[in-house]
Amino acid sequence: MNIIIVGAGRLGCRLAAGLLDEGHNITVIDRNESIVKKLAENLDVQGVVGSGAIREVLDNAEVKRADLLIATTASDENNILSCFIARRMGARHTIARVRNPEYTKQIGFMRSELGISMLINPDFSAALEICRNIQFPSAIHVETFANGLVDIAEVKIREESVLANLKISNLPQKFKNKIVICAVSRGEDVFIPNGDFTILPGDNVYITSSHKHLGAVVREIRASKMNKSLKDIMIIGGSKIAFYLAALLEEQNKNVIIVEKSPERCEELSDKLDSSTIICGDASDYDFLYEEGAGKMDAVVTLTESDEINILVSLYSTKAQVLKTITKVNSTALLKLLDDFNNDTLINVAEITGDVIIQYIRAKANVNSGEMKSLYKLFDGRVEAAEFILDERTKHIGDSLFDIKFKKDILIASISRKGRFIIPNGDVTLEIGDRIVVVSKGRKIENVNSIFDLF
């Protein structure tokens, strides 16, 4: 596909790299000439200097040939206008990044009247992911499929874990067919395990289970003492993510405290939120945090724009034995470094948003078999988990999994049928309407038929 990205910020740069890896032709538009030049030098992309809301600039980017334009600048209005003009000039599809919830509510109007195919709110997407991780405090990361019926959780295996030194073939009787181990990371290596694979202490594993069983399963696997739900949550930084997260947590009757440095922002949050407590203060002052009870919280979520403050507050919280810390990290390089030794949850907004957009693009590009509903990158993108709905175009409908030959390093992690979670053993058949989660290593899952070895 020919794709134009308007805005070369964190999200735009991540999308450019990720979509190049997907095999698309990329053109990047940005006002900053040095950023455009640097991107063109480091990546195999075309660069155009200017505003994506200017007709001449879009013409220079050959918008008439574009299959998709993605507007990712810091301005919601510029993004919406860029998409509108691009559609009028011939772009087939457009995606606008918006952060104002009032715009998100108008998606129907935006589609019908402005021709915008998709609105994506990175802050709300990040808040949803953080909320999932608060629900399952013993896990490092949690991803959700099948409209909330199925979850995949990342867990660190310790010496005392019931999974330590366990062979995968012994898993069904150990957990009464409630879970599937779908991916394992060991040092620099990742595996899609078969029945002969043995899990070792120190491994990071992704576990698939039904939503209702996941919490208890993860606690048992991690040998965690974290049996209570997290009730008292402190959020550091009053960003838009913090607002969305606090609103979600209020719906769950959590006790939420937001610490924000700006008095004006504190006033805004106080007006917009129902029951959250807003404290005006500097989170980099640890005496202040101590006085406000940060060490007594069940969870601390750091959401400032400073990676350094977020990391240091999380380290302080861990030292104070806070049960769960969730840290927003903007730098991709720093994210990879911290992932090597941090057992709690790290959040990168550009990664979350990029995965959603790439899933949309794959679904648009591949319509010859079952519809792709979700896509997540696991273990720094080396493993993918994709959800498909099977239809009449899907191969092997009615065949049992035992009789189907799959490509190497492909695993069906779950099947959901009429609202029921099914462990995919050899006797299970594929049926039209099934929602399946497919996990793969070293390959892009472009459509559901690409997982079968048809030759």
Side-chain angles (χ1 to χ4, degrees), residues 148-186:
L149 181 66
V150 178
D151 292 313
I152 295 183
E154 182 184 2
V155 178
K156 184 80 169 181
I157 302 302
R158 302 177 180 179
E159 291 279 357
E160 64 273 20
S161 171
V162 294
L163 282 185
N165 303 304
L166 184 72
K167 203 172 182 179
I168 293 291
S169 58
N170 295 327
L171 199 64
Q173 57 265 37
K174 190 76 176 177
F175 285 91
K176 299 178 181 177
N177 282 318
K178 289 182 180 178
I179 69 169
V180 172
I181 304 296
C182 58
V184 179
S185 170
R186 180 176 298 161

Side-chain angles (χ1 to χ4, degrees), residues 129 132 141-145 150-153 206 376-378:
E129 177 149 334
R132 285 199 300 269
H141 287 103
V142 180
E143 313 292 2
T144 298
F145 299 87
V150 178
D151 292 313
I152 295 183
Y206 270 97
Y376 294 102
K377 304 290 187 72
L378 316 178

Side-chain angles (χ1 to χ4, degrees), residues 235-267:
I235 302 171
I236 307 299
S239 62
K240 285 187 172 69
I241 301 176
F243 164 73
Y244 287 121
L245 177 60
L248 290 169
L249 294 174
E250 284 183 353
E251 291 177 2
Q252 299 175 14
N253 296 315
K254 306 290 187 185
N255 301 321
V256 180
I257 296 173
I258 299 177
V259 177
E260 166 57 38
K261 195 173 182 179
S262 163
E264 293 80 9
R265 182 58 178 164
C266 287
E267 289 285 346

